[in-house]
Structure formats: structure tokens, C-alpha cells
């Protein structure tokens, strides 16, 4: 036999309980002291009378929580307890813990029992559009036949996915927009995608699609408790019963559609904001900055009321230029004389020279 070390224990740990809880009463591991140890022990009869009933009660609470809130619904409780529950690892995390980063491959499916997790992504609007396209292509090209056959997804849903990846009118015609608009679309910023609370699954979309994490997950609550299930163990669970497999697929597709819709709405909102800024600037130019020729006088401030003055900006573009680049504009100040009420000589004539 070759022994593989799977766990090191220190003060406060206990072991040997698993064999006492099973009817077979066989040890499932070898325990070896690495150094001199002082151990305490309980006889099996004392354990069975004092501790085991409470342990079983706590275990059944956890089992009932899992089969009630996740994709194990309608699974026989006794079957789940005996055959599946041991696959889950209960973990606790503190505020600020980064559970995963974008572009990391998922190692565990996280079933959130208690606490709050923030999901965010740092990218541009162009990047979000590519993420949406990649997810939709994965579902349509690689999984649609199986999903349609099992009636997890309908043809109308497939059409909806195709609509999400249709060529975007704005993003496909960026040349028609200003450089400020294009920069806004390409600028990387941090987007809050979701705030996940208890009884939610995290990472199911990425595990199903076999892609890296799309978002970064950070614990926001004082503490977070979760059941973690290794990706490889999920395959074992799916083989155990067709009902788990069906529920898994149904939950995964539901969460994928929710994610796509959230990303799509986020993209559209930011495009609308960028368009509004772009159109506001254009309207400002059209309304407040008329075309001026050489030697045109913009205004003469002499004898004008102080409150009626305008602010002028050099938001001038060469309309004849294909590149829509700014042109140089110089201004001649000609003092006419006279001071305003603050004692500042402001009676000047402004003339376009070029």
C-alpha cells in the first residue's frame, strides 16, 4: 500500500467519528502521529448516547437545506444523506476574502448558505459584448441539441439568444461617432454584476459552459458560509440520478439566461449614456457655436449688461476634414477701454483670425 497524506491535524481536532456513525464500523483512514501527542477519547457507547443524536440532527438540517434550496429538489432525503452529502465541504470566509478572480477556471461549485458575495468585472463595453457573444455561441452551438431534446430550452429561447448576438447597430458603426464616444466604449471600468445572497449557487454558469470565471467574487458580509462541491464531484452526482442531472441543466440554463440579460442591459445602458453625452456635445455645438469665418466678430463687450455675457468654448471641428479633427483657432483681443464694476478691463472685441 502507498499512503497519501490528505489532512494534518493539530490541537482541537478530532477524528474517528465517521466509523462510529456507520453500521459497518470500519475505519476509512490511517492516523499516524507526527510527534508526541496527548489524546483524549470517548467510548463508542458514550459517543452514541451523548453526541451522535445531536450530530444526526445537525446533519439532517444541512441535508434538508441543500435539497430544498438548490438543484437537488425532489431527491429522496435518505438517499441524499447516505450517497451524496459526504461530497460537500462546509467552509467559512471572512469579509474581503476574494473567492475567485476573472479568468480563473472554477475548482468548486459554491452553494451559498449564509452571507453576501459581490460579483464584479473590470472590462469595457466592447469586452462585455464579446462575453455575451461567447456565452450565446457556447449554448447555441455546443448544447442546444441536448437542451432541446430534454426540453430544458425552447426554440423561442434559442431565438432570444441569437437576438443578443445580432450585430449591434452602434458598435458596428463606431466610425460615425466622435473620438470621445469611441474612447468611452473602449474604456475599462469596474461593473457591479450582482450581489449574491444565501441559497444561491455561484459558478454554475461557468462550470456548465466549461469557461473561466467571468466575474470576481468578494465576500461583502462579516462572514460567509458555503457548501463547496468540487467540479469533479459534480460529474459523480449527475451520474447518480437522472433527476439531479435534469435539475442541474435546468438551473444552469436559467442562471445563464439571467447573466446574459444582466450583461446585455448593462451594455445597452452604458451605450445610451455615451450616446447621450455625444449628442449633448453635438447639440451644444449646433445651437451655441455658429459657423464663423475669418474676421467675424464674436461679440463686443462694450456697454453690455454684466449678466448677459456668454461663455465661449473652442469646441470647433473642421467639418470638411474626414478625420473630424480639431482645427486651430486664434483670437485677437483688442482693448477698447473702460473697466467693469470689479475694476477689470473687460471691454474687448474678439475677432476670428483663422
Amino acid at each position: 500500500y502507498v499512503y497519501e497524506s490528505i489532512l494534518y491535524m493539530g490541537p482541537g481536532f478530532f477524528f474517528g467519528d465517521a466509523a462510529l456513525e456507520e453500521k459497518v464500523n470500519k475505519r476509512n483512514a490511517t492516523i499516524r502521529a507526527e510527534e508526541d501527542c496527548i489524546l483524549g477519547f470517548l467510548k463508542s457507547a458514550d459517543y452514541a448516547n451523548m453526541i451522535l443524536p445531536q450530530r444526526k440532527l445537525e446533519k439532517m438540517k444541512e441535508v434538508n437545506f441543500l435539497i430544498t434550496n438548490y438543484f437537488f429538489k425532489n431527491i429522496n432525503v435518505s438517499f441524499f444523506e447516505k450517497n451524496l452529502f459526504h461530497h460537500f465541504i462546509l467552509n467559512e470566509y471572512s469579509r474581503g476574502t476574494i473567492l475567485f478572480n476573472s479568468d480563473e477556471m472554477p475548482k468548486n461549485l459554491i452553494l451559498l448558505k449564509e452571507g453576501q458575495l459581490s460579483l464584479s468585472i473590470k472590462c469595457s463595453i466592447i469586452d462585455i459584448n464579446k462575453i455575451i457573444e461567447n456565452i450565446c455561441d457556447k449554448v447555441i452551438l455546443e448544447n442546444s441539441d441536448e437542451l432541446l431534446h430534454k426540453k430544458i430550452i425552447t426554440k423561442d429561447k434559442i431565438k432570444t439568444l441569437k437576438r443578443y448576438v445580432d450585430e449591434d447597430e452602434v458598435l458596428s458603426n463606431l466610425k460615425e461617432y466622435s473620438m470621445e464616444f469611441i474612447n468611452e466604449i473602449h474604456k475599462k471600468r469596474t461593473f457591479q454584476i450582482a450581489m449574491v445572497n444565501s441559497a444561491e449557487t455561484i459558478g454554475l454558469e461557468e462550470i456548465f459552459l466549461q469557461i473561466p470565471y467571468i466575474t470576481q467574487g468578494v465576500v461583502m458580509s462579516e462572514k460567509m458560509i458555503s457548501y463547496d462541491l468540487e467540479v469533479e464531484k459534480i460529474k459523480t452526482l449527475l451520474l447518480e440520478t437522472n433527476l439531479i442531472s435534469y435539475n442541474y441543466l435546468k438551473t444552469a440554463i436559467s442562471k445563464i439566461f439571467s447573466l446574459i440579460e444582466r450583461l446585455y442591459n448593462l451594455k445597452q445602458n452604458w451605450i445610451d449614456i455615451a450616446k447621450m453625452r455625444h449628442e449633448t456635445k453635438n447639440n451644444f455645438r449646433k445651437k451655441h457655436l455658429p459657423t464663423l469665418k475669418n474676421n467675424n466678430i464674436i461679440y463686443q463687450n462694450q456697454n453690455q449688461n454684466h449678466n448677459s455675457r456668454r461663455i465661449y468654448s473652442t469646441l470647433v471641428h473642421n467639418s470638411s476634414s474626414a478625420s473630424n479633427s480639431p482645427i486651430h483657432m486664434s483670437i485677437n483681443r483688442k482693448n477698447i477701454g473702460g473697466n467693469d464694476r470689479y475694476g477689470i478691463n473687460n471691454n474687448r472685441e474678439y475677432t476670428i483670425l483663422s
Side-chain angles (χ1 to χ4, degrees), residues 87-148:
H87 291 303
F88 297 85
I89 301 171
L90 192 64
N91 282 317
E92 183 174 319
Y93 305 94
S94 58
R95 186 196 299 275
T97 302
I98 299 175
L99 263 63
F100 51 84
N101 287 300
S102 301
D103 297 329
E104 289 181 359
M105 288 301 295
K107 296 179 180 177
N108 300 308
L109 175 64
I110 301 169
L111 308 175
L112 188 55
K113 180 185 179 183
E114 179 186 320
Q116 197 173 54
L117 187 74
S118 169
L119 301 180
S120 61
I121 182 173
K122 187 173 183 179
C123 64
S124 67
I125 299 300
I126 296 293
D127 294 331
I128 289 179
N129 195 58
K130 290 178 181 177
I131 291 170
I132 294 171
E133 289 178 353
N134 291 338
I135 294 174
C136 292
D137 287 344
K138 275 273 186 181
V139 176
I140 295 170
L141 299 178
E142 298 181 17
N143 299 284
S144 59
D145 290 341
E146 179 189 4
L147 296 171
L148 285 168

Side-chain angles (χ1 to χ4, degrees), residues 231-248:
V231 173
E232 291 301 316
K233 297 291 177 63
I234 294 176
K235 298 175 183 177
T236 305
L237 262 64
L238 297 181
L239 293 173
E240 290 288 347
T241 167
N242 289 331
L243 185 56
I244 291 181
S245 179
Y246 178 83
N247 290 344
Y248 168 82

Side-chain angles (χ1 to χ4, degrees), residues 171-283:
L171 298 183
S172 60
N173 295 287
L174 285 178
K175 292 181 180 179
E176 297 180 6
Y177 293 86
S178 66
M179 187 57 66
E180 292 96 332
F181 178 85
I182 296 172
N183 289 338
E184 191 77 15
I185 296 299
H186 282 87
K187 183 179 179 181
K188 290 187 181 292
R189 47 173 62 84
T190 300
F191 297 101
Q192 180 77 43
I193 301 301
M195 193 67 74
V196 185
N197 298 300
S198 58
E200 284 283 349
T201 55
I202 299 131
L204 185 59
E205 305 93 319
E206 290 89 346
I207 291 171
F208 175 81
L209 296 171
Q210 297 180 8
I211 60 173
Y213 280 116
I214 296 168
T215 58
Q216 181 190 63
V218 181
V219 178
M220 300 301 291
S221 51
E222 195 64 35
K223 71 173 181 177
M224 192 194 92
I225 300 174
S226 67
Y227 296 97
D228 294 353
L229 183 64
E230 292 180 12
V231 173
E232 291 301 316
K233 297 291 177 63
I234 294 176
K235 298 175 183 177
T236 305
L237 262 64
L238 297 181
L239 293 173
E240 290 288 347
T241 167
N242 289 331
L243 185 56
I244 291 181
S245 179
Y246 178 83
N247 290 344
Y248 168 82
L249 291 174
K250 193 173 181 179
T251 306
I253 290 301
S254 174
K255 290 184 69 66
I256 287 168
F257 266 88
S258 177
L259 174 63
I260 292 172
E261 188 175 356
R262 202 177 293 125
L263 291 171
Y264 182 80
N265 290 335
L266 180 66
K267 181 191 80 169
Q268 293 303 122
N269 288 339
W270 273 94
I271 287 176
D272 289 343
I273 290 170
K275 281 174 66 178
M276 183 177 68
R277 290 173 180 168
H278 169 79
E279 290 166 2
T280 300
K281 275 192 174 181
N282 280 347
N283 290 337

Side-chain angles (χ1 to χ4, degrees), residues 9 13-18 27 31 39:
M9 295 180 285
F13 279 77
F14 61 91
F15 54 89
D17 52 313
R27 303 295 186 185
I31 308 295
L39 303 175

Side-chain angles (χ1 to χ4, degrees), residues 16-62:
D17 52 313
L20 299 181
E21 293 178 11
E22 300 294 334
K23 293 180 180 179
V24 180
N25 286 339
K26 285 186 177 180
R27 303 295 186 185
N28 56 17
T30 296
I31 308 295
R32 184 166 63 91
E34 290 285 311
E35 56 186 46
D36 292 343
C37 301
I38 300 175
L39 303 175
F41 68 90
L42 276 175
K43 293 182 179 180
S44 59
D46 294 332
Y47 181 84
N49 292 328
M50 295 187 295
I51 298 176
L52 188 57
Q54 184 62 31
R55 291 267 301 212
K56 285 186 174 180
L57 183 62
E58 291 175 359
K59 182 179 179 181
M60 287 309 300
K61 285 182 180 179
E62 294 179 6

